[in-house]
């Protein structure tokens, strides 16, 4: 299946090398600090469906610290990215985040979770035997309790695959130099 996507029309120019790095899997961890309006979340909202379409066994799990913020943030951001890319006909997009977004051609999924209870992550089951969670996105990283909390999640998600992308985005604290 050939999908004609004009990525340069979807992200600001400063993120183009960053997005290419993600798609070429040059690194496994990507940290994007930036203030409101920096388009860091938009970049990940576009990167996730692109990686899903490029790597047929990879699924994604996107996290916010508080569950009731998921719908209007990371879920909406990924839906926006799919629409910006013009590939919405290839995705089943439910009305809310409780049901994962599905990439129809392969059955891959994009899950959305609040981290009110990190143990809930253990219950994510892949739709196919050879599928695995290859993408994790921690939005508003500064709201999480620290690396131990994130590690608890990634120990559950980083299993069964070869390629992993760990996306982290946050607003840096206000400072004189920010």
């Amino acid at each position: 299946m050939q999908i004609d996507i004009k990525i340069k029309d979807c992200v600001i120019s400063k993120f183009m090398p960053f997005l290419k790095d993600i798609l070429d899997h040059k690194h496994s961890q990507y940290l994007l600090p930036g203030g409101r309006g920096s388009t860091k979340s938009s970049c990940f909202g576009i990167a996730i469906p692109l990686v899903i379409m490029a790597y047929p066994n990879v699924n994604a799990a996107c996290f916010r610290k508080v569950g009731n913020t998921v719908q209007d943030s990371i879920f909406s951001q990924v839906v926006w990215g799919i629409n910006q890319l013009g590939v919405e006909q290839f995705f089943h997009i439910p009305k809310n985040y409780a049901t994962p977004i599905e990439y129809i051609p392969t059955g891959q999924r994009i899950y959305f979770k609040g981290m009110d209870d990190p143990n809930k992550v253990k219950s994510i089951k892949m739709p196919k035997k050879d599928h695995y969670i290859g993408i994790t996105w921690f939005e508003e990283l500064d709201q999480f309790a620290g690396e131990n909390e994130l590690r608890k999640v990634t120990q559950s998600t980083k299993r069964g695959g070869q390629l992993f992308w760990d996306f982290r985005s946050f607003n840096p604290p206000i400072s004189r130099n920010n």
Side-chain angles (χ1 to χ4, degrees), residues 21 36 75 100 103 134 140 151 159 169 175:
D21 193 279
R36 294 174 193 215
F75 178 78
Y103 182 52
E140 302 298 352
R151 190 176 308 111
R159 298 181 296 189
S169 51
S175 72

Side-chain angles (χ1 to χ4, degrees), residues 136-147:
T136 53
W137 178 20
F138 298 99
E139 170 72 323
E140 302 298 352
L141 184 65
D142 53 313
Q143 295 177 357
F144 289 89
E147 195 59 40

Side-chain angles (χ1 to χ4, degrees), residues 10-125:
C10 299
V11 296
I12 61 175
S13 59
K14 79 174 188 175
F15 283 132
M16 286 305 295
F18 186 77
L19 196 53
K20 181 167 177 18
D21 193 279
I22 290 170
L23 293 173
D24 292 343
H25 197 264
K26 300 266 177 145
H27 298 89
S28 58
Q29 189 172 68
Y30 295 88
L31 181 67
L32 272 183
R36 294 174 193 215
S38 66
T39 72
K40 64 189 177 305
S41 300
S42 297
C43 184
F44 286 146
I46 286 172
I48 290 170
L50 286 173
V51 172
I52 294 286
M53 291 186 297
Y55 295 88
N57 298 354
V58 170
N59 294 263
C62 307
F63 302 96
R64 283 286 304 258
K65 177 65 178 175
V66 180
N68 69 5
T69 62
V70 171
Q71 181 74 31
D72 294 330
S73 61
I74 53 178
F75 178 78
S76 293
Q77 195 67 64
V78 172
V79 171
W80 174 88
I82 290 167
N83 291 328
Q84 283 296 113
L85 292 167
V87 294
E88 58 276 3
Q89 69 273 24
F90 300 109
F91 288 86
H92 175 262
I93 301 172
K95 292 189 187 297
N96 68 56
Y97 76 92
T99 302
I101 293 173
E102 183 176 334
Y103 182 52
I104 297 165
T106 59
Q108 292 161 273
R109 295 181 177 168
I110 306 170
Y111 298 89
F112 301 90
K113 300 284 184 186
M115 290 286 294
D116 309 85
D117 180 3
N119 290 319
K120 291 180 185 175
V121 176
K122 295 177 184 177
S123 65
I124 297 177
K125 187 74 174 161

